[in-house]
Amino acid sequence: MAGIANCRTRCEYFTYCRGGQVANKYFETGRLDATETAYCRTSKISLLEGILRHAERPRT
C-alpha cells in the first residue's frame, strides 16, 4: 500500500494507472514502495502521453 500512496502523491498519471503493477515495482527495484518503474514509463506514461498529444492536435 505504501507504493500506491507514494504514486498518488508523486505521479501526475496516478488517476490513469492507479499505482501500477506491484510485481513490477518489486522485481525492478526490490521494493514495494517504489513509484516509477521502466514498465510504468514505457507501457503507461508513454502510451498516455502519446494519446494526449494525438488528441490535442488540431483537426483539419
Side-chain angles (χ1 to χ4, degrees):
M1 298 305 292
I4 293 172
N6 288 341
C7 286
R8 181 182 288 120
T9 60
R10 296 181 186 160
C11 183
E12 64 183 300
Y13 301 103
F14 178 79
T15 55
Y16 170 64
C17 77
R18 309 296 292 170
Q21 299 293 324
V22 178
N24 286 333
K25 291 179 183 192
Y26 180 75
F27 287 109
E28 286 189 37
T29 67
R31 302 174 58 128
L32 296 175
D33 63 348
T35 55
E36 189 175 306
T37 62
Y39 173 80
C40 175
R41 284 188 299 277
T42 58
S43 70
K44 301 292 183 181
I45 293 174
S46 294
L47 174 64
L48 185 58
E49 286 179 347
I51 291 169
L52 293 174
R53 275 193 304 272
H54 179 73
E56 291 172 347
R57 278 196 274 168
R59 306 276 187 237
T60 55

